[in-house]
Amino acid sequence: MREDFREILRLVRPGARVLDVGCGEGELLELLTREKRVDGQGLEISPEGVAACLARGLAVVQGDGDRDLDHFPTRAFDYAILSKTLQQMREPRHVLSELLRIADQAVVSVPNFGHWKVRWALLSRGRMPETGALPEPWWSTPNIHLCTLRDFTTLCEELDLRIDACAALAEGKAARPIDPSRPMENWRAETALFLLSRRTEAASGPVPQNLFGEVELPKPDVAPQKPKSRRKKARA
């Protein structure tokens, strides 16, 4: 099982409404349906992917994530998932904003172009890197909007999105909870998985789940209660 799929499976609540954008052949959606009994729907641009999803018995529609997210109703889902696909979108800023319009929370994973292997390939060979997270050569890769960890967190700030949890992923290794604002993680994280919500709605919404087991989550805004004074009853 892909490590990002494993972490997403841990995150999603049983019976939740889930939209998997760019669902491919439906591996993740089938996993969530089988293990968590989600009310799942997929959006996939390729006819081959749609056919594969239908063969699995999944609910999927053919569509372009860049344009067709606009047609989904607001808050139609509990989770919108975009796994290693945002960098392939023509309008990633618009797509990210739409995910948090149609769903209460978004799960987004992106390869980090600031990873040390990428930097070393550019520095030592002067060529576009090929790594575990970026395996395709430059002339055939579907990635058109690569970003670093810092680029992504800056975009979240501009869109007023809250990062509820974040983990670094690497092929064959367990997820590692991280603080994406730390400069060192922009070197260390090969791929990052984010749990996002709208910052303006965070105070009234549910407390985020601790997805990765160790990351410190923001606490809800609750006014401290004054201790009740106890009066001693006078003895007769």
Side-chain angles (χ1 to χ4, degrees):
M1 186 190 303
R2 275 175 42 180
E3 190 58 39
D4 56 335
F5 286 4
R6 191 187 311 276
E7 296 307 311
I8 294 171
L9 181 63
R10 289 174 55 191
L11 162 67
V12 173
R13 299 191 306 270
R17 300 166 300 164
V18 175
L19 176 66
D20 187 2
V21 181
C23 60
E25 296 184 354
E27 296 92 341
L28 176 59
L29 198 56
E30 183 181 49
L31 182 66
L32 290 170
T33 301
R34 183 178 68 246
E35 300 294 332
K36 289 297 184 74
R37 305 296 180 187
V38 302
D39 179 9
Q41 183 174 338
L43 181 68
E44 172 58 34
I45 193 171
S46 71
E48 297 79 10
V50 172
C53 289
L54 294 176
R56 294 173 185 262
L58 302 172
V60 63
V61 295
Q62 186 173 1
D64 186 345
D66 273 302
R67 298 176 299 180
D68 295 329
L69 290 178
D70 297 359
H71 304 305
F72 285 91
T74 299
R75 288 190 168 180
F77 299 93
D78 298 308
Y79 300 96
I81 299 173
L82 195 64
S83 180
K84 297 184 179 180
T85 307
L86 185 66
Q87 73 279 0
Q88 300 175 13
M89 297 294 184
R90 294 186 299 275
E91 299 290 341
R93 180 188 178 97
H94 174 72
V95 169
L96 193 58
S97 181
E98 282 296 287
L99 292 179
L100 269 303
R101 179 188 63 81
I102 64 179
D104 294 332
Q105 291 181 293
V107 182
V108 180
S109 60
V110 292
N112 176 27
F113 204 70
H115 187 247
W116 71 267
K117 290 182 180 179
V118 174
R119 300 179 192 232
W120 177 247
L122 290 171
L123 178 64
S124 62
R125 296 189 291 118
R127 298 186 60 184
M128 286 296 289
E130 296 178 31
T131 67
L134 301 168
E136 297 289 335
W138 69 269
W139 45 265
S140 65
T141 179
N143 300 323
I144 58 176
H145 284 115
L146 291 166
C147 68
T148 68
L149 203 62
R150 183 174 297 177
D151 289 326
F152 186 85
T153 55
T154 299
L155 179 58
C156 288
E157 292 176 1
E158 292 175 358
L159 294 176
D160 204 23
L161 304 181
R162 189 177 74 167
I163 299 174
D164 295 327
C166 181
L169 303 174
E171 188 175 357
K173 298 181 181 180
R176 179 173 59 86
I178 64 172
D179 177 356
S181 64
R182 294 182 58 193
M184 182 55 69
E185 296 299 349
N186 203 28
W187 287 76
R188 298 178 64 195
E190 188 170 10
T191 298
L193 177 66
F194 294 85
L195 173 64
L196 306 172
S197 61
R198 283 283 179 191
R199 187 181 302 275
T200 53
E201 298 169 359
S204 59
V207 177
Q209 299 181 50
N210 193 335
L211 171 58
F212 306 110
E214 300 175 10
V215 65
E216 184 178 351
L217 297 174
K219 297 179 181 179
D221 298 329
V222 179
Q225 296 181 353
K226 296 181 179 180
K228 296 181 179 179
S229 59
R230 296 183 179 179
R231 295 182 179 179
K232 296 183 179 180
K233 295 183 179 180
R235 296 182 179 180

